[in-house]
Amino acid sequence: VGGLKERLITLTSHGLSVKVATNAWRLILERANEALSNLTDDQVLKEVSPGRNRVIYLWGHLTAVHDAMFPILGLGDRLHPELDAIFISSPDKVGAQLPPVGELRRYWDEVNGKLLSQFATLSENEWLQRHRSMSDEDYAKDPTRNRLAVLLSRTNHLSYHLGQITLALK
Amino acid sequence: VGGLKERLITLTSHGLSVKVATNAWRLILERANEALSNLTDDQVLKEVSPGRNRVIYLWGHLTAVHDAMFPILGLGDRLHPELDAIFISSPDKVGAQLPPVGELRRYWDEVNGKLLSQFATLSENEWLQRHRSMSDEDYAKDPTRNRLAVLLSRTNHLSYHLGQITLALK
């Protein structure tokens, strides 16, 4: 009975750490949505600091990076792989035609909505499994390179650019 | 034997999620140290964007917030509570005398070094226990408000301001 109780406590604790991590993702995403919805169309075209990226570029960049999480996490195909050429391979202001703000907002909501609903389908143990962009051999060498690590890394990436985007807010 | 094996796998997985979280903290901290060590003294006094916080203020702010993690995580007393008046209660550029850069760098290294060594003393289960700024009753209502949640929150806070600090780099 002692063993069973211990096992149950551990299982609960483990589910808890995944829940803490998905809560953190959700919280930063909510803050990003709030910041982005409070920006005027003029502010969206502003550079976050003189000579630096414009908000619209960072927004597209985040959308492309989040969209790439589907295959990395083994959650299916990307919804908008065409964004990479504009927002990952190219820097801002090199003449690439950016999608209109309204369209970008739709992609952003679509990608993040689907990610959140897919996250809910993963069990705690599946979060600790290797992500798709690494081999079985590399995972054996370093088991911390798993889905949870990808989630924390992308949460930090979102926070990083959110800190920049808020500089364009009044 | 099946039950034991399952328990061992779960225990390992659970230790893994704490390791993933402390790795993420360490990684962002290393990036912050690199950014801060590449800034000239002039850049440290620069605003990250016109009219916004100066790098030195954000640096002190991060030092104060990290220092406050000791009592919140139940890891002992703060090293520099005097920083709060300058870097948390007051905004930048209100006339408060900021410590010299060299002194701030010493505090920063001291606080983060001690945090990292203290993190290593916590067991996986202790990371999932409630943090000190909440009551037993509140924890019972929401067990995700634990030490691990504080760590992820502070990692995101660091990423957020690091995104701003890098704008002052050439």
Side-chain angles (χ1 to χ4, degrees), chain B:
Chain B
V1 173
L4 179 65
K5 195 183 160 197
E6 189 193 311
R7 192 165 77 218
L8 286 173
I9 289 170
T10 308
L11 277 167
T12 309
S13 299
H14 174 210
L16 208 51
S17 56
V18 165
K19 185 123 183 59
V20 165
T22 51
N23 279 355
W25 167 266
R26 206 183 303 262
L27 179 73
I28 307 297
L29 190 62
E30 278 166 16
R31 288 188 189 155
N33 283 332
E34 202 188 323
L36 292 167
S37 68
N38 284 331
L39 289 164
T40 63
D41 283 0
D42 277 356
Q43 286 173 315
V44 168
L45 294 171
K46 260 184 70 178
E47 292 172 336
V48 296
S49 189
R52 297 301 178 136
N53 290 318
R54 290 174 299 169
V55 172
I56 191 168
Y57 179 83
L58 292 177
W59 196 353
H61 173 71
L62 288 169
T63 309
V65 167
H66 291 190
D67 189 48
M69 290 169 76
F70 290 109
I72 293 174
L73 296 174
L75 296 172
D77 289 336
R78 297 186 55 167
L79 305 179
H80 296 288
E82 74 281 5
L83 296 175
D84 286 15
I86 313 171
F87 294 111
I88 295 189
S89 324
S90 306
D92 192 14
K93 297 169 277 179
V94 293
Q97 180 72 39
L98 305 193
V101 178
E103 201 170 307
L104 199 53
R105 190 183 298 276
R106 206 166 55 247
Y107 295 166
W108 171 253
D109 289 338
E110 184 188 2
V111 166
N112 291 316
K114 191 168 177 200
L115 276 176
L116 272 178
S117 67
Q118 295 278 64
F119 286 175
T121 68
L122 293 173
S123 71
E124 293 88 350
N125 279 330
E126 283 168 335
W127 276 106
L128 278 304
Q129 280 168 12
R130 76 171 174 90
H131 57 79
R132 296 302 175 92
S133 60
M134 79 186 301
S135 65
D136 282 328
E137 293 74 37
D138 285 344
Y139 178 73
K141 272 182 251 161
D142 185 0
T144 63
R145 295 176 63 182
N146 52 33
R147 284 191 175 104
L148 193 68
V150 173
L151 181 67
L152 297 193
S153 161
R154 296 310 180 274
T155 309
N156 281 315
H157 179 257
L158 176 56
S159 294
Y160 182 96
H161 290 304
L162 177 58
Q164 300 175 331
I165 288 169
T166 53
L167 297 174
L169 279 163
K170 279 202 195 81

Side-chain angles (χ1 to χ4, degrees), chain A residues 44-57:
Chain A
V44 168
L45 294 172
K46 259 184 72 178
E47 294 172 336
V48 296
S49 189
R52 298 298 179 138
N53 290 319
R54 291 173 298 169
V55 172
I56 192 168
Y57 179 84

Side-chain angles (χ1 to χ4, degrees), chain A:
Chain A
V1 175
L4 178 66
K5 195 183 160 196
E6 188 192 310
R7 192 164 78 217
L8 287 173
I9 289 170
T10 308
L11 277 167
T12 310
S13 300
H14 174 209
L16 207 50
S17 57
V18 166
K19 186 122 182 59
V20 165
T22 50
N23 278 355
W25 166 267
R26 206 183 302 262
L27 178 73
I28 307 297
L29 190 63
E30 278 166 15
R31 289 189 189 155
N33 283 333
E34 202 188 324
L36 291 167
S37 68
N38 284 331
L39 289 164
T40 62
D41 284 359
D42 278 356
Q43 286 173 316
V44 168
L45 294 172
K46 259 184 72 178
E47 294 172 336
V48 296
S49 189
R52 298 298 179 138
N53 290 319
R54 291 173 298 169
V55 172
I56 192 168
Y57 179 84
L58 292 177
W59 195 354
H61 173 72
L62 288 169
T63 308
V65 167
H66 291 192
D67 189 48
M69 290 169 74
F70 290 109
I72 293 174
L73 297 174
L75 295 173
D77 289 336
R78 297 187 55 168
L79 306 179
H80 295 289
E82 75 281 5
L83 296 176
D84 286 14
I86 313 170
F87 295 112
I88 295 190
S89 324
S90 307
D92 192 15
K93 296 170 278 179
V94 292
Q97 179 73 39
L98 305 193
V101 178
E103 201 170 307
L104 198 55
R105 189 184 298 277
R106 204 166 57 246
Y107 295 166
W108 171 253
D109 289 339
E110 184 187 3
V111 165
N112 291 316
K114 192 169 176 198
L115 276 176
L116 273 178
S117 67
Q118 295 278 66
F119 286 175
T121 69
L122 294 172
S123 71
E124 293 87 350
N125 279 331
E126 284 168 334
W127 277 106
L128 278 304
Q129 280 169 11
R130 77 172 176 89
H131 56 80
R132 296 301 175 93
S133 59
M134 78 185 301
S135 66
D136 282 327
E137 294 74 36
D138 286 343
Y139 178 74
K141 272 182 248 160
D142 184 1
T144 62
R145 295 176 64 183
N146 52 33
R147 283 192 176 102
L148 193 67
V150 173
L151 181 67
L152 297 194
S153 161
R154 296 310 179 277
T155 310
N156 281 315
H157 178 257
L158 176 56
S159 295
Y160 182 95
H161 290 304
L162 177 58
Q164 300 175 331
I165 288 169
T166 53
L167 297 173
L169 279 164
K170 279 206 195 79

